[in-house]
Amino acid sequence: MFNQRVKIKQLLSGTPVGTDVVVMGWVRTFRNNQFVALNDGSTNANIQIVAELGKFDEAILKRITTGASLKIKGTVVESLGKGQAVEVKANEIEILGDSDAEKYPLQPKKHSLEFLREKAHLRFRTNTFGSVFRVRHSLAFAVHQFFNERGFIYLNTPIITSSDAEGAGEMFRVTTLPLEGAPKNDKGEIDYTQDFFGKSTNLTVSGQLEGELGAMAFSEIYTFGPTFRAENSNTTRHLAEFWMIEPEMAFNDIEDNMNLAEAFIKYLIEYVMKHNEDDLVFLDARLAEEEKQLPTEKRSGFGLIEKLKMVLENGFERITYTEAIDILLNSNHYKKKKFTYDVKWGIDLQSEHERYLVEQHFKKPVIVTGYPAAIKAFYMRMNDGCEPGKETVAAMDILAPGIGEIVGGSQREERLSVLEARMTAMDIPLDEMSWYLDTRRFGSVPHAGFGLGFERMVQFVSGMTNIRDVIAFARTPNNCEY
RNA sequence: UCCUCCUUAGCUCAGUUGGUUAGAGCAUCUGACUGUUAAUCAGAGGGUCGUCUGUUCAAGUCAGACAGGGGGAGCCA
């Protein structure tokens, strides 16, 4: 058996002095021809390997370069140096893989995130991305644990869909038809009956509609999978391929929905604070360093861990859309005409408005409910007793400081006639959506759900400002390396 | 897609009003040192100044187009 090694995280957290160990990892630095800082990704902390002078061949020592992989047999000893409590005194050094020092792009120094983005295949070996992706893993694990503890069924909704009624964004087409000379029908349009599925298909933009079908049997389900949007979005918070978590709960209304979403976000944060303390401490310091470079007015004013604690300790502010508009209209910001976009009832809130509410006014996450029906999707439940012309739906968005919309959800329209009327008004073909409408025909119940953008959650918890730095291989317009 | 800024050594960046042979730190290589902590010290190599076109006696520097990237907006999660 090759692998009898001890992971560095475990080694550093209490392997007794005097133990013989096997350690493997990649060289971060090699100092003084004697001291190797070795890292295996289990933690940002390195184990110091000591190669005593004269004990090893010069030829072997020459091959210990940044990025090379080593297998070390040695003994755990108390360190004579100051930087670490223990170190491994090497008896055997095996070079598993060489790393040409002239070509290896990562140096023991600070690199820009932009540079590392172009070296996405190697950036996992840096402290920042080590921490980010360990935090991402913990968040993913916590997602499953949270729902599992509450009896939710993990439902895998399809990646390829024929439904194009969702309206969540531009879609990527899935086809096996040739680009040149695709078969045409009598109308001169591409004949999708000859395509692989016998119809036009796309990559999913949301698993929600299928998720609702599951909720109508299991009571509570969640999805957690990749989602695709072919929007030409070039921002720090959009990806063409991203991961989304979409719980859907029967016998739940909009308030239950908000309660669950808030509990969920807090659970995720709490989990990471408990299991990734070292990584958060590192990311906290990294963010503080980054913010030092910013002009004062762009700084968040508090640290990463401080922010996460504040979210855990304080409830999310809950306001209606109408209240949000009033707050904006009464703000000095508005009176001094500092908003680029005008504020009045009926508009979709612009990011500057959301940011004002979250970052200036409340200074904590805000849940906005009761949006105008005209600006929201067909499946959201019409609120009863609205003033004519001011119809609202039971929608809710959770806005987070620095990220903006992190959750979008709603109570769904369970009344068949109301839903059909809305779909007709919005030109959504009822016959194609018959399978969806069946949920309202056969034992319809009040139900609700939401979508949480996983990468935005990772951004929020890690403090990374660009979404491309919290997914392993980012897909954005004009960028599909690896 | 729109607005805006940027592109000089492997990386991070200087480069004055257009003017001789384009610099620094880190990295790399060579040597020294040997309990170092992004080791230190000495020396060396390393550049089609994003690409193309133009203005000019002369362009890293000025202008235009294109490409790539950052930030912001819209769309949203």
Side-chain angles (χ1 to χ4, degrees):
Chain A
M1 189 168 72
F2 177 73
N3 187 358
Q4 305 166 335
R5 73 187 173 125
V6 58
K7 282 204 179 188
I8 290 168
K9 184 179 184 177
Q10 188 192 337
L11 201 164
L12 290 172
S13 63
T15 303
V17 167
T19 313
D20 286 332
V21 291
V22 178
V23 198
M24 298 186 223
W26 294 267
V27 176
R28 284 287 174 85
T29 65
F30 183 31
R31 287 184 291 267
N32 224 348
N33 223 20
Q34 246 188 113
F35 305 101
V36 183
L38 200 69
N39 188 282
D40 67 1
S42 58
T43 163
N44 273 348
N46 304 317
I47 182 72
Q48 173 155 288
I49 307 296
V50 182
E52 272 183 293
L53 284 175
K55 181 163 179 167
F56 298 95
D57 283 351
E58 197 64 20
I60 286 282
L61 296 179
K62 279 261 181 225
R63 292 168 64 199
I64 303 177
T65 55
T66 307
S69 48
L70 306 184
K71 177 178 181 179
I72 306 291
K73 285 186 183 172
T75 311
V76 178
V77 296
E78 269 182 57
S79 179
L80 298 171
K82 284 183 192 139
Q84 58 284 316
V86 294
E87 59 196 19
V88 170
K89 202 168 152 185
N91 296 320
E92 284 176 41
I93 297 175
E94 184 184 338
I95 312 283
L96 297 175
D98 289 289
S99 173
D100 185 338
E102 289 198 59
K103 291 180 183 152
Y104 187 65
L106 302 184
Q107 303 159 20
K109 63 170 265 193
K110 203 165 239 157
H111 290 290
S112 68
L113 294 172
E114 292 83 0
F115 172 71
L116 291 170
R117 230 167 266 156
E118 290 172 7
K119 303 271 177 274
H121 56 306
L122 294 171
R123 66 178 177 171
F124 299 126
R125 295 191 188 183
T126 64
N127 287 334
T128 297
F129 288 95
S131 286
V132 165
F133 285 99
R134 279 187 297 270
V135 165
R136 184 181 165 113
H137 160 78
S138 282
L139 283 169
F141 191 83
V143 165
H144 289 295
Q145 187 166 293
F146 175 85
F147 288 119
N148 188 52
E149 282 172 1
R150 283 161 184 74
F152 283 56
I153 296 293
Y154 178 33
L155 187 70
N156 300 120
T157 52
I159 309 285
I160 301 173
T161 71
S162 60
S163 156
D164 58 357
E166 162 67 17
E170 289 296 310
M171 301 205 223
F172 289 101
R173 185 172 292 290
V174 175
T175 181
T176 54
L177 292 176
L179 279 178
E180 304 279 337
K184 302 276 173 69
N185 61 19
D186 329 336
K187 293 179 193 161
E189 301 159 344
I190 290 174
D191 183 8
Y192 287 108
T193 64
Q194 295 188 43
D195 203 349
F196 187 89
F197 295 105
K199 52 163 66 171
S200 163
T201 51
N202 301 287
L203 293 179
T204 184
V205 291
S206 163
Q208 182 203 311
L209 300 185
E210 292 91 344
E212 285 187 52
L213 311 180
M216 288 298 134
F218 296 110
S219 298
E220 286 156 330
I221 64 95
Y222 70 105
T223 73
F224 185 3
T227 310
F228 308 87
R229 306 261 168 103
E231 301 284 350
N232 191 5
S233 296
N234 294 286
T235 78
T236 54
R237 50 190 193 284
H238 288 88
L239 292 164
E241 177 183 298
F242 65 101
W243 288 65
M244 189 152 64
I245 296 136
E246 296 180 287
E248 193 70 36
M249 299 80 68
F251 318 113
N252 271 235
D253 66 13
I254 187 74
E255 204 184 332
D256 298 318
N257 202 20
M258 284 190 272
N259 291 342
L260 185 82
E262 183 170 340
F264 180 47
I265 289 172
K266 287 181 172 173
Y267 185 97
L268 296 181
I269 292 172
E270 210 159 9
Y271 187 92
V272 170
M273 289 185 83
K274 190 172 166 197
H275 292 88
N276 297 73
E277 201 186 335
D278 294 355
D279 291 318
L280 285 181
V281 166
F282 177 84
L283 290 167
D284 185 276
R286 194 206 70 83
L287 185 64
E289 193 61 34
E290 188 181 272
E291 292 215 335
K292 266 196 221 164
Q293 319 293 325
L294 296 174
T296 321
E297 71 273 12
K298 288 206 168 176
R299 295 181 197 171
S300 66
F302 33 82
L304 177 64
I305 293 173
E306 199 183 350
K307 176 187 82 177
L308 296 176
K309 279 187 182 155
M310 274 169 54
V311 171
L312 285 185
E313 284 160 14
N314 300 297
F316 294 9
E317 193 67 34
R318 298 186 185 189
I319 57 169
T320 65
Y321 169 86
T322 304
E323 286 164 352
I325 293 291
D326 286 343
I327 289 168
L328 292 170
L329 286 175
N330 288 320
S331 67
N332 281 330
H333 212 76
Y334 177 79
K335 288 169 186 161
K336 288 182 185 165
K337 300 191 192 304
K338 283 193 180 167
F339 289 121
T340 308
Y341 292 85
D342 196 21
V343 179
K344 67 175 181 195
W345 201 98
I347 60 153
D348 206 353
L349 295 179
Q350 303 293 316
S351 8
E352 59 172 354
H353 304 141
E354 295 179 347
R355 246 196 334 254
Y356 176 84
L357 289 170
V358 172
E359 289 161 22
Q360 311 278 321
H361 191 82
F362 289 114
K363 296 186 174 21
K364 59 176 169 175
V366 176
I367 312 183
V368 183
T369 54
Y371 282 87
I375 57 171
K376 286 291 180 178
F378 74 91
Y379 49 74
M380 297 187 178
R381 192 182 195 280
M382 295 292 286
N383 282 325
D384 301 314
C386 292
E387 210 181 302
K390 284 200 166 185
E391 287 83 9
T392 58
V393 289
M396 63 120 179
D397 282 358
I398 301 184
L399 311 174
I403 314 287
E405 190 177 340
I406 194 165
V407 163
S410 64
Q411 185 175 339
R412 319 306 189 189
E413 181 56 75
E414 85 281 11
R415 298 161 295 187
L416 181 63
S417 59
V418 180
L419 182 57
E420 285 180 335
R422 192 101 202 283
M423 289 171 75
T424 306
M426 293 171 84
D427 281 329
I428 296 164
L430 295 181
D431 52 337
E432 280 180 30
M433 298 294 288
S434 180
W435 53 272
Y436 178 71
L437 292 169
D438 268 1
T439 55
R440 275 66 168 174
R441 292 190 185 106
F442 309 118
S444 188
V445 297
H447 64 289
F450 62 85
L452 177 131
F454 186 55
E455 282 76 18
R456 289 192 184 170
M457 189 67 204
V458 182
Q459 274 188 281
F460 186 71
V461 175
S462 67
M464 299 300 284
T465 50
N466 194 316
I467 201 166
R468 288 159 217 184
D469 296 329
V470 298
I471 189 165
F473 301 103
R475 272 80 179 94
T476 51
N478 275 315
N479 187 351
C480 192
E481 289 298 312
Y482 314 101

